[in-house]
Structures are given as structure tokens and as C-alpha cells.
Amino acid sequence: MKMQMIAAMPGDIAPARRLEAETGLPLVEIDIHAFPDGESLVRAPGAAETVIVYCSLDRPNQKLVELGLAVSALRDLGARRLVLVAPYLCYMRQDKAFHEGEAVAQRFIGALLAGWFDRVVTIEPHLHRVKSLDDVMPGTETAALSAADLLAQMILADGAPEEALLVGPDAESRAWTAAVAKATGAPFIVLQKERSGDREVEISLPKDADIKGRRIYLVDDIISTGATLAAAARLLRAGGAGRVEAVAVHAFFSEADEKTMKEAGLARVRSTDSVAHRTNAAAVAPLLAKALKEDRR
Ligand code: R5P
């Protein structure tokens, strides 16, 4: 039996191939047959002592069941150590019951994945009140990687314009906006956000913000509906900012959302390939490969 291999879930073949190229590890593709009644037949074509399962968990509800079945198949084939590479880790935002009766999704999903995997590697998980992924997945090794350098490289590729100003759209974005600002050498500010619905957000500028004529790079971890960035772009353009664009780690938004963002004044959006999206402009494979190399087992 081989020592290590990558097993890619069907939706992750392309980025897993990039990880294969970075690591030199062999790759197998997990095969899934969809039964007419909606159930799935999951088959692993082989295993190794350590299997790195590549499965980004955007649109996760079906993926989670199929991932669990893949884990079961790999263990049956003799895999001893399973490492999940999930560049996007789902359900991390619901970290408490905001209203009585709500499931704490972060705790549930964390425990589920911790039961399946010996190590979980992800990028910029949306942690808020819980500070460490170790607390979300007790008993499992975790690596929560920063994508700050990848986002910084996108900005630096524009020649690090002097008038650049990095803008975090809400208080939660402060940490990653500060990290990207440090890596680019550009200044940054953080806006204030009030959310009243899935697509209803209100954004305001801090009192002393000087945005006139600045080239704005909005920096966010997730673009889901794009409502946050659309509201931010509208506000910044109305306040006299120059070109407004965005860099983000995980992009999910639809073409209709993109149109709304464009109309709001957002000139361009670039994202990493943590989730396959037409705005992908940077590969996360080198970042993941480095984290896997640091896994001494
Ligand atoms: C919020 O806490 C996140 O950092 C993002 O700003 C948010 O998830 C974006 O969502 P949307 O694109 O739907 O406004």
C-alpha cells in the first residue's frame, strides 16, 4: 500500500490536480453514481496509509453525505490516516443560536468532521466568537491557513498603486484586511455594517475616512450574495472614491448578483480558487501543499 495519496471528490478534480502538481503525490478520483431516487453510490478506487481527501465544502448539503460515504469506503480499504483538505469549510458562521431553537451549525459540523478525519486543513474559516478551529473540532488536528498573501499578490499585480486604499466592509473583516494591508504596504480602513436580511445590508463610513480619489480594494473572506460589496461600492463611489474593486477568498455569487455589484460601481472582483468560480485569479494549491508538507506524519 502507498504511503500517501490524494483522493479528489468529483467536483474538485481540477484544483486537486493542481495540488497533485504541487506535491507530487498520486491522485485518485472518487467515483459517484447518482441513483434515480437521489441517493449516491460512492466508490474509492484505492487507498493509501494516509489519504488526503480534497473536498471544498461550498453548497455542502449533498457533498457532506457523499464525503462521509467516501470516508467510510477509504477506511474499509485500509486507510489509517485521513486528512480533509476543504479550502472552503461550510457552516462556520452559525456559531451560536441567534434565536431560540436554532441549530448551532458550526458545532454540529465541526464534531461531524472531527469524527471522520484525523486532520482538517482549510483556508480562512469564518470564525467569529470561537477563535480557533481546534475549539470547533476537538480531538482533531487542524490547520486554518491565511490567504492574505494570495490576496496581496492580486493587488500587487496592479503595480501597488500609490492611491490604493484597502477597505474591509465590516468589523469582522478587520483581521484579514489588516493582514493584506501589511503584505501590500497600503493603508486600510474598516466600514460599519448592519445586516437585516440575506440580501439587506446597510453600510456606513467611519467619520474620519478620507476616500476621495482613492483606488479602493475591498477585502473580504466570503462573497455570498454580493450584497455587502454592492452596498460598500455604492457608498464609496457616492463618497468620491475612484475605481472600486474587490479581492476575496471564497466567491459564490451568481451572475445576477454580479450584475448588481457592477451596477453599484464595483469594477472588478477577483477570488482564489478555494471555490470554483469565474472570478478565480489565484490558486490555493501552493498554500495547501506547504501545509501538507508541514504535516510530519
Ligand atoms: C460576513 O460576515 C462575511 O465576512 C461576508 O461579508 C459576508 O458573508 C458576505 O455576504 P454577502 O455577499 O451575502 O453580503
Short mmCIF file of all heavy atoms in Angstrom, two decimals, residues 93 126 169-170 172-173 176 193 195 198 201 220-229, ligand 1:
data_model
loop_
_atom_site.label_atom_id
_atom_site.label_comp_id
_atom_site.label_asym_id
_atom_site.label_seq_id
_atom_site.Cartn_x
_atom_site.Cartn_y
_atom_site.Cartn_z
N ARG A 93 -20.28 30.02 10.08
CA ARG A 93 -20.82 31.31 10.52
C ARG A 93 -21.83 31.19 11.64
O ARG A 93 -21.93 32.06 12.49
CB ARG A 93 -21.43 32.08 9.33
CG ARG A 93 -20.35 32.74 8.48
CD ARG A 93 -20.92 33.42 7.27
NE ARG A 93 -21.26 32.44 6.23
CZ ARG A 93 -21.69 32.77 5.03
NH1 ARG A 93 -21.84 34.04 4.72
NH2 ARG A 93 -21.98 31.86 4.15
N HIS A 126 -14.61 31.01 8.53
CA HIS A 126 -15.25 32.21 9.08
C HIS A 126 -15.53 32.01 10.57
O HIS A 126 -16.64 31.65 10.95
CB HIS A 126 -16.52 32.53 8.31
CG HIS A 126 -17.05 33.88 8.65
ND1 HIS A 126 -16.88 34.98 7.84
CD2 HIS A 126 -17.71 34.33 9.73
CE1 HIS A 126 -17.44 36.03 8.41
NE2 HIS A 126 -17.95 35.66 9.56
N PRO A 169 -15.23 45.60 4.65
CA PRO A 169 -16.62 46.08 4.64
C PRO A 169 -17.32 46.03 5.99
O PRO A 169 -18.38 46.63 6.14
CB PRO A 169 -17.30 45.15 3.64
CG PRO A 169 -16.48 43.91 3.64
CD PRO A 169 -15.08 44.33 3.92
N ASP A 170 -16.76 45.32 6.95
CA ASP A 170 -17.43 45.24 8.25
C ASP A 170 -16.39 44.92 9.34
O ASP A 170 -15.24 44.59 9.04
CB ASP A 170 -18.55 44.18 8.25
CG ASP A 170 -18.08 42.84 7.72
OD1 ASP A 170 -16.89 42.51 7.91
OD2 ASP A 170 -18.89 42.12 7.11
N GLU A 172 -15.94 42.44 11.19
CA GLU A 172 -15.36 41.09 11.16
C GLU A 172 -14.19 40.98 10.17
O GLU A 172 -13.36 40.09 10.28
CB GLU A 172 -16.42 40.07 10.75
CG GLU A 172 -17.43 39.83 11.84
CD GLU A 172 -18.60 38.98 11.38
OE1 GLU A 172 -18.58 38.46 10.26
OE2 GLU A 172 -19.54 38.83 12.17
N SER A 173 -14.16 41.88 9.20
CA SER A 173 -13.13 41.79 8.16
C SER A 173 -11.82 42.45 8.58
O SER A 173 -10.85 42.43 7.83
CB SER A 173 -13.63 42.44 6.86
OG SER A 173 -13.76 43.83 7.04
N TRP A 176 -8.41 40.20 8.44
CA TRP A 176 -7.81 39.85 7.15
C TRP A 176 -7.49 41.10 6.33
O TRP A 176 -6.52 41.11 5.57
CB TRP A 176 -8.61 38.81 6.37
CG TRP A 176 -10.08 39.06 6.18
CD1 TRP A 176 -10.65 39.82 5.22
CD2 TRP A 176 -11.14 38.50 6.95
NE1 TRP A 176 -12.02 39.78 5.36
CE2 TRP A 176 -12.35 38.99 6.41
CE3 TRP A 176 -11.19 37.66 8.06
CZ2 TRP A 176 -13.60 38.66 6.93
CZ3 TRP A 176 -12.43 37.32 8.57
CH2 TRP A 176 -13.61 37.82 8.02
N LYS A 193 -21.18 47.73 9.28
CA LYS A 193 -22.26 47.06 8.55
C LYS A 193 -23.38 46.63 9.49
O LYS A 193 -23.11 46.14 10.58
CB LYS A 193 -21.70 45.82 7.83
CG LYS A 193 -22.74 45.01 7.08
CD LYS A 193 -22.10 44.02 6.12
CE LYS A 193 -21.93 42.66 6.74
NZ LYS A 193 -21.37 41.67 5.82
N ARG A 195 -26.71 44.15 9.13
CA ARG A 195 -27.42 43.25 8.23
C ARG A 195 -28.82 43.00 8.79
O ARG A 195 -28.98 42.65 9.95
CB ARG A 195 -26.67 41.92 8.10
CG ARG A 195 -27.30 40.96 7.11
CD ARG A 195 -26.57 39.63 7.09
NE ARG A 195 -25.30 39.67 6.37
CZ ARG A 195 -25.19 39.60 5.05
NH1 ARG A 195 -26.26 39.52 4.28
NH2 ARG A 195 -23.99 39.62 4.49
N ASP A 198 -30.92 38.35 4.32
CA ASP A 198 -29.88 37.70 3.50
C ASP A 198 -29.25 38.67 2.51
O ASP A 198 -28.05 38.61 2.23
CB ASP A 198 -30.51 36.53 2.71
CG ASP A 198 -30.85 35.36 3.62
OD1 ASP A 198 -30.30 35.30 4.74
OD2 ASP A 198 -31.68 34.53 3.22
N VAL A 201 -28.33 44.79 3.55
CA VAL A 201 -27.27 45.28 4.43
C VAL A 201 -27.17 46.80 4.30
O VAL A 201 -27.43 47.36 3.24
CB VAL A 201 -25.88 44.66 4.09
CG1 VAL A 201 -25.83 43.19 4.39
CG2 VAL A 201 -25.49 44.92 2.67
N ASP A 220 -12.54 40.91 1.43
CA ASP A 220 -13.48 40.15 2.26
C ASP A 220 -13.12 38.66 2.22
O ASP A 220 -12.40 38.22 1.32
CB ASP A 220 -14.93 40.36 1.79
CG ASP A 220 -15.91 40.30 2.98
OD1 ASP A 220 -15.50 39.89 4.09
OD2 ASP A 220 -17.08 40.67 2.79
N ASP A 221 -13.62 37.92 3.19
CA ASP A 221 -13.35 36.48 3.17
C ASP A 221 -14.33 35.78 2.22
O ASP A 221 -13.93 34.97 1.40
CB ASP A 221 -13.40 35.86 4.58
CG ASP A 221 -14.74 36.02 5.27
OD1 ASP A 221 -15.53 36.88 4.87
OD2 ASP A 221 -15.01 35.26 6.24
N ILE A 222 -15.62 36.12 2.34
CA ILE A 222 -16.66 35.43 1.58
C ILE A 222 -17.48 36.44 0.78
O ILE A 222 -17.85 37.49 1.32
CB ILE A 222 -17.61 34.69 2.55
CG1 ILE A 222 -16.84 33.65 3.37
CG2 ILE A 222 -18.77 34.03 1.81
CD1 ILE A 222 -17.63 33.08 4.55
N ILE A 223 -17.75 36.12 -0.48
CA ILE A 223 -18.77 36.89 -1.20
C ILE A 223 -19.88 35.89 -1.50
O ILE A 223 -19.73 34.99 -2.32
CB ILE A 223 -18.26 37.50 -2.51
CG1 ILE A 223 -16.93 38.23 -2.30
CG2 ILE A 223 -19.30 38.46 -3.08
CD1 ILE A 223 -16.33 38.78 -3.59
N SER A 224 -20.99 36.06 -0.79
CA SER A 224 -22.07 35.09 -0.92
C SER A 224 -23.11 35.60 -1.92
O SER A 224 -23.19 35.13 -3.05
CB SER A 224 -22.65 34.86 0.48
OG SER A 224 -23.72 33.99 0.43
N THR A 225 -23.88 36.61 -1.52
CA THR A 225 -24.83 37.22 -2.47
C THR A 225 -24.23 38.45 -3.14
O THR A 225 -24.79 38.98 -4.10
CB THR A 225 -26.10 37.69 -1.75
OG1 THR A 225 -25.74 38.75 -0.86
CG2 THR A 225 -26.74 36.56 -0.96
N GLY A 226 -23.15 38.96 -2.57
CA GLY A 226 -22.56 40.20 -3.08
C GLY A 226 -23.22 41.44 -2.51
O GLY A 226 -22.82 42.57 -2.84
N ALA A 227 -24.22 41.26 -1.64
CA ALA A 227 -24.95 42.42 -1.11
C ALA A 227 -24.02 43.33 -0.30
O ALA A 227 -24.11 44.57 -0.39
CB ALA A 227 -26.12 41.95 -0.23
N THR A 228 -23.12 42.73 0.44
CA THR A 228 -22.18 43.53 1.25
C THR A 228 -21.31 44.40 0.34
O THR A 228 -21.19 45.62 0.56
CB THR A 228 -21.28 42.59 2.10
OG1 THR A 228 -22.12 41.85 2.99
CG2 THR A 228 -20.24 43.37 2.88
N LEU A 229 -20.72 43.78 -0.67
CA LEU A 229 -19.81 44.54 -1.53
C LEU A 229 -20.55 45.55 -2.39
O LEU A 229 -20.05 46.64 -2.67
CB LEU A 229 -18.97 43.59 -2.39
CG LEU A 229 -17.98 42.71 -1.62
CD1 LEU A 229 -17.05 41.99 -2.57
CD2 LEU A 229 -17.16 43.53 -0.62
C1 R5P B 1 -19.71 38.43 6.78
O1 R5P B 1 -19.57 38.29 7.92
C2 R5P B 1 -18.73 37.98 5.76
O2 R5P B 1 -17.43 38.36 6.07
C3 R5P B 1 -19.11 38.49 4.41
O3 R5P B 1 -19.03 39.89 4.40
C4 R5P B 1 -20.49 38.06 4.05
O4 R5P B 1 -20.63 36.68 4.23
C5 R5P B 1 -20.81 38.42 2.65
O5 R5P B 1 -22.12 38.00 2.35
P1 R5P B 1 -22.90 38.69 1.17
O6 R5P B 1 -22.03 38.63 -0.03
O7 R5P B 1 -24.15 37.84 1.04
O8 R5P B 1 -23.24 40.07 1.59
#
